[in-house]
Amino acid sequence: METGTFRVKSGMAEMQKGGVIMDVMNAEQAKIAEAAGATAVMALERVPSDIRAAGGVARMADPTIVEEVMKAVSIPVMAKARIGHIVEAKVLEAMGVDYIDESEVLTPADEIFHISKNEFTVPFVCGAKDLGEALRRIQEGAAMLRTKGEPGTGNIVEAVRHLRLINGQIRKVQNLSKDELYNEAKVLGVPYDLLLGVHETGKLPVVNFAAGGVATPADAALMMELGADGVFVGSGIFKSDNPEKFARAIVEATTHYQDYKLIAEVSKNLGTPMKGIDIAKLNAAERMQDRGI
Amino acid sequence: MKVGVLALQGAVAEHMRSLEAVGVEAVAVKRVEQLDELDGLIIPGGESTTIGKLMRKYGFMEAVTSFHQSGKPLFGTCAGLIVLADRIEGQEDAHLQLMDMTVARNAFGRQRESFETKLPVKGIDEPITAVFIRAPLIKSVGSEVEVLSEYNGEIVTARQGTLLACSFHPELTDDVRLHAYFVDMIKQARA
């Protein structure tokens, strides 16, 4: 019997496929998410749009909130640790959190090194905006990926950019000859073996979800259309007028992402989604996606 | 022979790959009409609350029940096992309620307790590699249910006529012998 194998960690992410993982800030929201059909919840002190508004240093949530959410639902509970913050991750693991997001949404604790995730029993998900970041995170032990997008903006454009880029880079790598692959590994800054795997299979070795800007059922379906394995929704749900209805609509649009009549149906009278931010209006310091590359 | 994998949520592609590896055509099932052309159906791993909710929403409860009543085999893995069960510990309502067993969700604990092991299964020669992820257990079974494997004295694989259920994930390994076993059940049902 062996716990914490890579297959057990990445397999857990496989079970999330086609699903929606929702940010929640308390037990009540977690229960709404579970009842709406979320496949997991992310327990947070503040959703990304509030982190943006509050400014200052964003850290791991108060363990009380994480515990409260774990007690409230039977689906898996994820929580965020700062990039490179080994101790926040160890604390979350000790609490029995099911998945840790080493997340650029929080203020990085380390500007050079990510957590060595292979040394943990609990699996990690990390953000990536291109193939280089994706494979570096996998090398460090991430068992699941997500696009970074631009969290807390309600603007899908960056998540689209990141998923399109990764898909395009995968297609390019597939067509390289063996000698070109060595150079590509150097250019991307990734281990040759992982790149060879992408070349041979035409896909990433772990599940890749969309995240960072999903605000409507159609946004979720768009990311599935572009090849995401599932969707994280952060501020989108509990910053909307009717979270319960909104959550259900996003779950159904994700499952039936090519059934446009159904998406029209679930999108009716949802009320106002979160307001959203034009990415061009963000200054460099406000761009979360540039953290932890 | 065509075998479906219920594709509302969960590890669909892996089951399809395993089915193709044992030489049958695999179909991702998103709508009830698709069941008509199938000889058997797999309910995959995923989140049972999500899968159950979406099955209710899209008429799969009735459709899969009549699929079963017409004699066509069903195979539930992990969440799929929960969906098949008559009774779920600590919950008043269950999902399809086709298989005479009581199951416990997340019976081993949280994700950090997830594991893989070698598991002997009745009817399969050598032990198979079984990956348990936040897995359920079968706490008790009715007289019509045959126990096919146990782990530490707890039931993890069982069969009741044309119904097969396991707590682990045979689709996450290259070992396709449990899928081959299910395909044999379909052949018997067709004969």
Side-chain angles (χ1 to χ4, degrees), chain A residues 1-2 5 7-8 11 14-17 35-39 74-76 93-94 96 98 252 255-256, chain B residues 8-10 14 30 46-47 50 53-54 57-58 105-106 110-112 114-116 129 133-134 151 169 171:
Chain A
M1 196 276 273
E2 217 182 338
T5 63
R7 182 154 57 189
V8 163
E14 303 283 349
M15 297 312 136
Q16 293 285 311
K17 283 195 299 193
T39 50
S74 64
I75 55 177
E93 181 177 55
D98 296 297
E252 289 188 46
T255 297
H256 292 286
Chain B
L8 296 174
Q9 192 273 317
E14 290 72 15
K30 288 208 175 213
E47 280 306 312
T50 306
K53 188 187 145 53
L54 292 169
K57 177 92 192 180
Y58 299 114
R105 294 180 61 207
N106 302 329
R110 304 196 71 93
Q111 170 61 18
R112 64 181 173 194
S114 296
F115 64 99
E116 54 180 88
T129 302
I133 297 175
R134 288 174 48 95
Y151 177 76
H169 293 284
E171 77 283 8

Side-chain angles (χ1 to χ4, degrees), chain B residues 21-117:
Chain B
V22 296
V24 300
E25 190 181 339
V27 181
V29 178
K30 288 208 175 213
R31 297 186 321 276
V32 290
E33 309 86 81
Q34 290 175 280
L35 292 173
D36 298 341
E37 54 164 4
L38 301 177
D39 302 298
L41 180 72
I42 292 178
I43 304 173
E47 280 306 312
S48 63
T49 51
T50 306
I51 294 174
K53 188 187 145 53
L54 292 169
M55 283 180 77
R56 274 183 192 85
K57 177 92 192 180
Y58 299 114
F60 275 101
M61 289 299 172
E62 305 73 22
V64 175
T65 301
S66 47
F67 185 83
H68 163 68
Q69 283 162 351
S70 73
K72 293 178 175 176
L74 298 171
F75 180 16
T77 61
C78 194
L81 169 146
I82 298 167
V83 170
L84 287 178
D86 269 350
R87 298 166 297 277
I88 303 171
E89 259 187 15
Q91 286 181 217
E92 282 185 13
D93 49 344
H95 304 286
L96 281 171
Q97 295 178 274
L98 295 177
M99 208 165 159
D100 188 6
M101 58 185 182
T102 303
V103 300
R105 294 180 61 207
N106 302 329
F108 294 92
R110 304 196 71 93
Q111 170 61 18
R112 64 181 173 194
E113 276 84 45
S114 296
F115 64 99
E116 54 180 88
T117 190

Side-chain angles (χ1 to χ4, degrees), chain A residues 11 65 92 102 119 170 180 183 189 202 206 212 228 257 271:
Chain A
I65 295 174
L92 293 172
E102 187 182 17
E119 288 151 37
I170 289 174
E180 289 171 327
N183 186 60
V206 301
Y257 63 94

Side-chain angles (χ1 to χ4, degrees), chain A:
Chain A
M1 196 276 273
E2 217 182 338
T3 57
T5 63
F6 194 71
R7 182 154 57 189
V8 163
K9 292 173 170 179
S10 62
M12 156 78 199
E14 303 283 349
M15 297 312 136
Q16 293 285 311
K17 283 195 299 193
V20 182
I21 301 169
M22 302 181 190
D23 279 2
V24 299
M25 291 177 286
N26 52 50
E28 184 200 355
Q29 291 183 352
K31 282 182 179 152
I32 291 173
E34 184 178 46
T39 50
V41 290
M42 176 80 71
L44 290 167
E45 201 157 321
R46 280 175 292 184
V47 295
S49 64
D50 287 344
I51 289 175
R52 249 178 219 294
V57 175
R59 312 177 178 91
M60 175 185 82
D62 182 330
T64 321
I65 295 174
V66 179
E67 246 172 38
E68 181 190 318
V69 169
M70 285 168 62
K71 280 188 193 134
V73 294
S74 64
I75 55 177
V77 176
M78 304 185 169
K80 289 183 195 291
R82 281 179 269 179
I83 291 173
H85 207 308
I86 303 161
V87 172
E88 283 187 352
K90 285 284 179 195
V91 168
L92 293 172
E93 181 177 55
M95 288 172 64
V97 160
D98 296 297
Y99 235 94
I100 296 175
D101 185 357
E102 187 182 17
S103 178
E104 69 281 3
V105 168
L106 305 181
T107 311
D110 193 319
E111 291 185 336
I112 299 170
F113 301 106
H114 277 73
I115 297 168
S116 179
K117 295 167 274 288
N118 285 313
E119 288 151 37
F120 285 72
T121 304
V122 66
F124 282 75
V125 55
C126 285
K129 60 181 190 294
D130 56 44
L131 185 60
E133 290 186 11
L135 295 182
R136 284 195 289 281
R137 297 298 86 80
I138 293 168
Q139 178 68 18
E140 293 155 5
M144 179 183 191
L145 293 170
R146 52 171 177 75
T147 59
K148 284 179 166 174
E150 193 53 51
T153 61
N155 189 337
I156 198 68
V157 66
E158 296 303 298
V160 167
R161 187 194 316 280
H162 299 160
L163 196 54
R164 285 266 190 197
L165 178 59
I166 289 176
N167 290 343
Q169 287 176 307
I170 289 174
R171 280 191 293 275
K172 179 188 165 194
V173 166
Q174 271 186 287
N175 290 320
L176 295 179
S177 62
K178 284 272 162 72
D179 49 351
E180 289 171 327
L181 272 181
Y182 291 117
N183 186 60
E184 190 67 11
K186 186 181 74 183
V187 171
L188 290 176
V190 300
Y192 173 76
D193 290 347
L194 283 178
L195 198 66
L196 181 64
V198 172
H199 171 73
E200 285 169 350
T201 61
K203 57 190 192 67
L204 293 167
V206 301
V207 163
N208 188 22
F209 269 46
V214 177
T216 66
D219 284 349
L222 169 64
M223 297 314 293
M224 295 300 288
E225 177 74 42
L226 292 175
D229 290 312
V231 180
F232 282 90
V233 188
S235 322
I237 290 171
F238 291 100
K239 284 286 156 185
S240 71
D241 279 354
N242 186 342
E244 214 167 327
K245 202 170 164 192
F246 214 88
R248 280 201 306 267
I250 289 198
V251 168
E252 289 188 46
T254 303
T255 297
H256 292 286
Y257 63 94
Q258 286 175 322
D259 187 338
Y260 310 113
K261 277 185 189 160
L262 182 144
I263 297 170
E265 209 48 47
V266 301
S267 302
K268 283 178 183 167
N269 299 313
L270 281 183
T272 318
M274 63 181 290
K275 184 161 175 278
I277 300 171
D278 183 350
I279 305 294
K281 302 249 164 70
L282 296 177
N283 64 41
E286 291 169 324
R287 284 165 59 89
M288 292 174 175
Q289 61 180 280
D290 298 330
R291 298 166 168 177
I293 54 173

